[in-house]
């Protein structure tokens, strides 16, 4: 019997699979909270230099005494081109003449200096962020992007480390460890006393997130029948989208970054404790040569699904799983591997380029986060039907190309004008990338055979995390050319959408267990596509 036939015998979609998938998607609910957490914990509120040139300065940080504050700001802080107080400069001496309503600011006549005594922050929206905690503004403003890139570097390292370990020690044990690491390091980040400590714990949190993401993907795919893998993929994708709503709600209720960091980290202690219930992948156990344990897990599934008698009839002789001789180099150098990795890189790169730039839309950051999450609902639903009835390859390619075109179209919308149009294009592009993520989550798991599924998924996730690392840094190029980030974000998914056409279609194909199974699928795909 093949594994698919054995799975049908013990129940391919019964009580076990429903409970199994439900418990697996719960950790994914808060993954979005960690991935884009810095939209809120690292939000940059309005600020200006601390005013130290006026005796008995009593204007509080929340600007409650508006008239007095405006007078102090006028004589102490120069204004920028938008007639707003400069964020990084102040007058060396008080310019009392500016209290005259007809007076104008002439920077050539009044000496200015950088903020020497710190900054005053507007705390009407965020009571505390890492920006206000450690003054990551003006000359230190690039540290904000660096913190997110360090987190993504942790996700990358986690994909490499946990990718190889999971194929050696199994999915279940690595998932349990990752949940514990996420809970501990995420909570420790909330108690960081300095920026360096914060970055170290965020790096370790990123590592744990990779372990959770990849193991949840493997366990959900490997216990799901072929005909229902797309549906399970959609459920998993929607759980991530719901997580974006959860983050927006939590951030609105908890404006202090330390408490918000704790709120999205502590639940992983719960996931750690119930993770011991998970059933190890029988596919992995068989390919690892642990046939007796694989048989026990299959019989456990049969009991939960109410098919105890069918489970008792199983024996090692009934299963003809064979341990394949693995030659990863032969596989990793092929076109299919390159295209799969390129897809994940571009999707992640463009996705985080858009998702981590919410403050530049000129509307409520909470509202745009909700809109960004809401667009995932129709996008992933359309993607689900395309995946199910048209195929994975067409869905992946079209989603990437449309996303790239939407991002590039924003270049032609004047900055600061037509904010509605700019927002709509960005939201549409983000929706396409969400559909691409959902498809790639399923597609990648179907392309790789069981013997190296986690290693392969770890590798392509590594490339995805490289995209996540680079994405915040690309924002810095706007200082040289304002439209350059959009050009880069838009071009990458278009190129990847084209290369996706070289991947084989996996719709209605059995999940491959060995390298030979993959080779047969590729040959079959080439046979149907012609020479």
């Amino acid at each position: 019997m093949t594994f698919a036939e054995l799975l049908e015998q013990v129940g391919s979609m019964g009580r076990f699979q429903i409970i199994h998938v439900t418990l697996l998607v719960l950790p994914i609910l808060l993954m979005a909270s960690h991935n884009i957490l810095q939209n809120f914990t690292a939000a940059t509120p309005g600020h200006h230099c601390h005013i130290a040139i006026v005796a008995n300065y009593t204007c509080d940080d929340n600007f409650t005494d508006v008239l007095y504050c405006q007078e102090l700001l006028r004589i102490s802080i120069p204004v920028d081109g938008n007639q707003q107080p400069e964020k990084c400069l102040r007058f060396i001496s008080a310019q009392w003449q500016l209290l005259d309503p007809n007076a104008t600011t002439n920077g050539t006549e009044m000496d200015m200096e950088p903020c020497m005594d710190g900054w005053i922050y507007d705390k009407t929206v965020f009571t505390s962020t890492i920006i206000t905690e450690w003054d990551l503004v003006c000359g230190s403003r690039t540290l904000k992007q660096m913190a997110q890139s360090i987190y993504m570097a942790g996700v990358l390292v986690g994909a490499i480390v946990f990718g190889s370990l999971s194929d050696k020690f199994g999915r279940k044990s690595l998932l349990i460890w990752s949940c514990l690491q996420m809970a501990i390091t995420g909570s420790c980040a909330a108690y960081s006393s300095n920026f360096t400590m914060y970055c170290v714990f965020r790096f370790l949190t990123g590592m744990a997130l990779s372990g959770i993401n990849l193991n949840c993907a493997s366990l959900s795919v490997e216990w799901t029948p072929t005909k229902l893998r797309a549906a399970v993929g959609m459920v998993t994708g929607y759980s991530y989208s719901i997580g974006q709503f959860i983050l927006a709600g939590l951030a609105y209720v908890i404006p202090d970054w330390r408490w918000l960091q704790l709120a999205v980290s502590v639940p992983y202690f719960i996931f750690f404790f119930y993770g011991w219930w998970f059933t190890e992948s029988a596919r992995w156990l068989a390919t690892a040569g642990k046939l007796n344990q694989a048989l026990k897990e299959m019989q456990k599934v049969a009991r939960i699904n109410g098919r105890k008698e069918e489970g008792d009839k199983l024996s090692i002789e009934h299963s003809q799983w064979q341990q394949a001789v693995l030659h990863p180099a032969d596989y990793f150098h092929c076109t299919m591997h390159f295209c799969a990795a390129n897809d994940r890189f571009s999707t992640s790169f463009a996705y985080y380029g858009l998702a981590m730039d919410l403050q530049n839309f000129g509307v409520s950051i909470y509202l745009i986060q909700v809109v960004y999450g809401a667009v995932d609902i129709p996008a992933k639903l359309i993607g689900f039907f395309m995946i199910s009835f048209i195929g994975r390859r067409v869905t992946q390619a079209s989603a990437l190309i449309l996303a790239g075109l939407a991002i590039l179209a924003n270049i032609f919308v004047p900055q600061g004008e037509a904010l509605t149009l700019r927002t709509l294009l960005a939201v549409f592009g983000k929706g396409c990338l969400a559909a691409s993520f959902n498809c790639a989550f399923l597609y990648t798991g179907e392309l790789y055979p069981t013997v190296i599924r986690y290693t392969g998924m770890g590798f392509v996730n590594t490339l995805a995390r490289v995209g996540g690392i680079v994405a915040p840094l690309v924002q810095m190029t706007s200082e040289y050319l304002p439209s350059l980030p959009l050009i880069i974000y838009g071009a990458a998914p278009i190129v990847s959408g084209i290369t996706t056409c070289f991947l084989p279609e996996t719709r209605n194909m059995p999940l491959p267990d060995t390298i030979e199974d993959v080779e047969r699928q590729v040959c079959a795909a080439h046979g149907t596509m012609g020479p």
Side-chain angles (χ1 to χ4, degrees):
M1 288 186 182
T2 64
F3 182 82
E5 292 170 334
L6 289 171
L7 192 58
E8 288 291 338
Q9 183 173 333
V10 301
S12 60
M13 200 60 192
R15 187 184 303 116
F16 165 78
Q17 280 82 6
I18 294 173
I19 298 173
H20 188 69
V21 171
T22 300
L23 294 180
L24 282 173
V25 300
L26 290 179
I28 298 175
L29 279 174
L30 292 181
M31 278 175 49
S33 298
H34 283 276
N35 278 337
I36 55 179
L37 183 63
Q38 282 199 192
N39 275 334
F40 301 98
T41 60
T44 304
H47 57 277
H48 60 76
C49 294
H50 186 277
I51 302 174
I53 57 178
V54 179
N56 299 320
Y57 172 65
T58 58
C59 184
D60 66 35
D61 292 352
N62 290 317
F63 311 134
T64 52
D65 191 346
V66 178
L67 181 60
Y68 185 44
C69 285
Q70 287 179 343
E71 292 177 346
L72 284 177
L73 287 175
R74 187 168 179 80
I75 65 173
S76 308
I77 307 295
V79 294
D80 58 19
N82 297 319
Q83 298 303 305
Q84 296 297 318
E86 279 282 357
K87 297 178 178 180
C88 304
L89 295 173
R90 69 180 183 184
F91 294 126
I92 294 178
S93 57
Q95 305 297 315
W96 299 102
Q97 72 276 11
L98 294 179
L99 292 177
D100 182 354
N102 298 320
T104 58
T105 302
N106 187 340
T108 60
E109 297 178 359
M110 291 174 279
D111 294 330
M112 292 177 285
E113 64 181 359
C115 302
M116 307 298 292
D117 301 299
W119 289 261
I120 298 295
Y121 296 96
D122 182 356
K123 296 184 179 181
T124 55
V125 178
F126 301 99
T127 59
S128 176
T129 69
I130 66 169
I131 304 300
T132 63
E133 184 93 10
W134 297 305
D135 289 333
L136 306 182
V137 292
C138 298
S140 301
R141 65 183 180 279
T142 56
L143 293 179
K144 172 182 176 179
Q145 285 79 18
M146 183 182 294
Q148 179 66 15
S149 292
I150 289 173
Y151 166 77
M152 284 298 178
V155 180
L156 183 153
V157 174
I160 298 172
V161 173
F162 290 125
S164 59
L165 290 178
S166 183
D167 278 332
K168 290 182 180 180
F169 301 107
R171 283 66 161 129
K172 176 182 175 180
S173 57
L174 267 296
L175 176 57
I176 293 172
W177 170 261
S178 297
C179 286
L180 179 61
Q181 180 174 326
M182 173 72 83
I184 294 175
T185 58
S187 300
C188 288
Y191 292 99
S192 300
S193 59
N194 55 66
F195 180 69
T196 302
M197 184 184 298
Y198 170 80
C199 288
V200 169
F201 285 123
R202 283 285 286 170
F203 178 88
L204 295 173
T205 300
M207 286 186 64
L209 183 131
S210 270
I212 294 169
N213 183 29
L214 294 174
N215 280 293
C216 286
S218 292
L219 283 174
S220 61
V221 167
E222 291 174 359
W223 277 113
T224 304
T226 302
K227 61 184 178 181
L228 293 174
R229 286 203 300 264
V232 171
M234 184 183 72
V235 170
T236 303
Y238 272 131
S239 67
Y240 187 90
S241 300
I242 294 172
Q244 297 181 62
F245 291 110
I246 293 174
L247 175 61
L250 286 174
Y252 183 79
V253 174
I254 309 173
D256 185 282
W257 78 269
R258 293 184 184 273
W259 286 106
L260 181 58
Q261 178 75 41
L262 273 177
V264 299
S265 301
V266 170
Y268 281 93
F269 282 112
I270 300 174
F271 306 147
F272 163 73
F273 286 118
Y274 79 59
W276 295 96
W277 178 87
F278 285 130
T279 300
E280 182 58 90
S281 168
R283 285 181 181 271
W284 174 80
L285 290 170
T287 55
K290 302 178 180 181
L291 297 181
N292 286 322
Q293 189 175 347
L295 180 61
K296 291 179 181 178
E297 299 290 13
M298 293 292 288
Q299 291 172 337
K300 173 185 175 181
V301 171
R303 287 194 302 273
I304 296 175
N305 283 339
R307 296 191 177 187
K308 185 177 184 301
E309 292 183 1
E310 287 83 351
D312 292 339
K313 295 176 183 178
L314 293 177
S315 65
I316 294 178
E317 288 73 21
H318 281 114
S319 59
Q320 298 177 0
W321 302 318
Q322 297 178 352
Q323 298 181 61
V325 178
L326 180 60
H327 300 288
D330 296 336
Y331 187 74
F332 288 168
H333 292 165
C334 69
T335 302
M336 184 171 68
H337 188 68
F338 167 78
C339 293
N342 193 31
D343 279 357
R344 295 302 299 271
F345 170 84
S346 296
T347 302
S348 179
F349 173 70
Y351 182 92
Y352 288 109
L354 292 177
M356 297 303 298
D357 196 33
L358 300 188
Q359 282 193 294
N360 286 338
F361 284 97
V363 296
S364 169
I365 189 173
Y366 303 108
L367 176 61
I368 195 65
Q369 180 63 65
V370 170
V371 172
Y372 260 24
V375 73
D376 285 9
I377 297 174
K380 290 181 178 179
L381 185 61
I382 294 171
F384 165 70
F385 286 114
M386 290 184 65
I387 287 170
S388 301
F389 299 105
I390 299 177
R392 281 64 158 153
R393 180 171 55 194
V394 173
T395 304
Q396 186 76 30
S398 58
L400 284 167
I401 292 173
L402 286 174
L405 292 175
I407 295 171
L408 291 176
N410 246 335
I411 297 173
F412 304 100
V413 181
Q415 188 78 23
E417 301 179 19
L419 290 177
T420 301
L421 178 59
R422 289 183 64 84
T423 303
L424 286 175
L425 287 171
V427 168
F428 177 77
K430 194 266 183 182
C432 290
L433 291 169
S436 175
F437 252 128
N438 211 38
C439 181
F441 186 85
L442 172 66
Y443 201 9
T444 305
E446 293 178 334
L447 286 172
Y448 287 98
T450 302
V451 290
I452 58 166
R453 180 166 294 116
Y454 199 97
T455 300
M457 291 177 69
F459 181 83
V460 297
N461 270 277
T462 297
L463 269 295
R465 300 319 162 192
V466 171
I469 293 171
V470 176
L473 302 179
V474 170
Q475 292 285 353
M476 300 180 189
T477 63
S478 62
E479 296 185 8
Y480 304 99
L481 179 65
S483 61
L484 188 55
L486 292 178
I487 295 174
I488 299 172
Y489 290 142
I494 291 176
V495 173
S496 293
I498 295 172
T499 62
T500 300
C501 298
F502 295 98
L503 289 171
E505 180 56 63
T506 60
R507 187 173 72 94
N508 294 332
M509 298 290 288
L511 203 63
D513 287 321
T514 66
I515 303 293
E516 290 75 15
D517 291 342
V518 176
E519 291 173 348
R520 281 193 293 271
Q521 288 185 5
V522 173
C523 291
H526 281 286
T528 57
M529 290 165 59

